[in-house]
Amino acid sequence: MEDFETYFIDGFGKTVFTLSISLASLCFGLHLAAAFHPYFPVLPPLPRPFRYIITFISILFYGAVFPTYFLMDPYYRHQVTAALLFAFPGALTRYLLSVYLNTILKAIPLGTFLANSIGTALLGGFDALQNRTHPVSPYACMTATVAALLQLARSR
């Protein structure tokens, strides 16, 4: 019972501290934005063809990550999984959510907040899975990928 109480108080304290720092940072950012807004012009959106070209190049770079990931040393691979494989989908999700949801509330960027909340929850879940007492084999991701490719080949 002592362990539960200790872990609960520790987790609750970290949660309150994190929320306090987050809200203080939000207030600080709002004050900075209000102070510097007159000095920075609002940039017009990029033309549609230019946005498509940037998106296409980004997808090509993201596709180049997969061979790099599988060529890495298996011992090191699990340490960079989140950064390599989830950075592009996370950035794209943040952009899309900010485009569609930031206009709903003027006081807070709702899309950015939602993207940060989802990303934090996913990172916490991945960290909990990686720090199990019996870690997943470094070949588990490769085995799952090969199994998915074999299943895809059989379905054709």
Side-chain angles (χ1 to χ4, degrees):
M1 190 64 170
E2 262 183 41
D3 287 338
F4 173 76
E5 291 170 354
T6 304
Y7 289 138
F8 176 78
I9 291 172
D10 183 49
F12 184 74
K14 288 179 181 178
T15 302
V16 169
F17 180 77
T18 302
L19 287 174
S20 301
I21 294 295
S22 298
L23 289 174
S25 299
L26 177 67
C27 290
F28 181 67
L30 287 173
H31 287 295
L32 279 179
F36 289 111
H37 179 68
Y39 302 109
F40 292 103
V42 176
L43 298 174
L46 294 173
R48 188 176 299 253
F50 191 67
R51 286 183 287 174
Y52 287 147
I53 290 170
I54 290 175
T55 303
F56 181 70
I57 291 171
S58 299
I59 291 171
L60 288 178
F61 272 110
Y62 184 58
V65 164
F66 287 101
T68 306
Y69 175 77
F70 288 113
L71 292 174
M72 284 183 180
D73 180 25
Y75 179 76
Y76 179 69
R77 189 181 300 152
H78 75 280
Q79 297 175 5
V80 297
T81 301
L84 283 179
L85 300 181
F86 301 120
F88 178 73
L92 185 62
T93 303
R94 175 191 296 269
Y95 172 73
L96 292 174
L97 286 174
S98 68
V99 166
Y100 292 112
L101 298 178
N102 281 359
T103 58
I104 293 175
L105 295 175
K106 296 294 180 191
I108 186 170
L110 189 61
T112 305
F113 176 74
L114 188 62
N116 287 346
S117 300
I118 292 170
T120 302
L122 288 173
L123 283 175
F126 294 145
D127 186 57
L129 289 174
Q130 279 186 331
N131 292 326
R132 295 180 350 167
T133 54
H134 301 290
V136 179
S137 166
Y139 297 104
C141 187
M142 186 175 10
T143 305
T145 304
V146 170
L149 289 173
L150 287 174
Q151 183 65 28
L152 182 66
R154 288 182 187 155
S155 66
R156 289 185 178 197

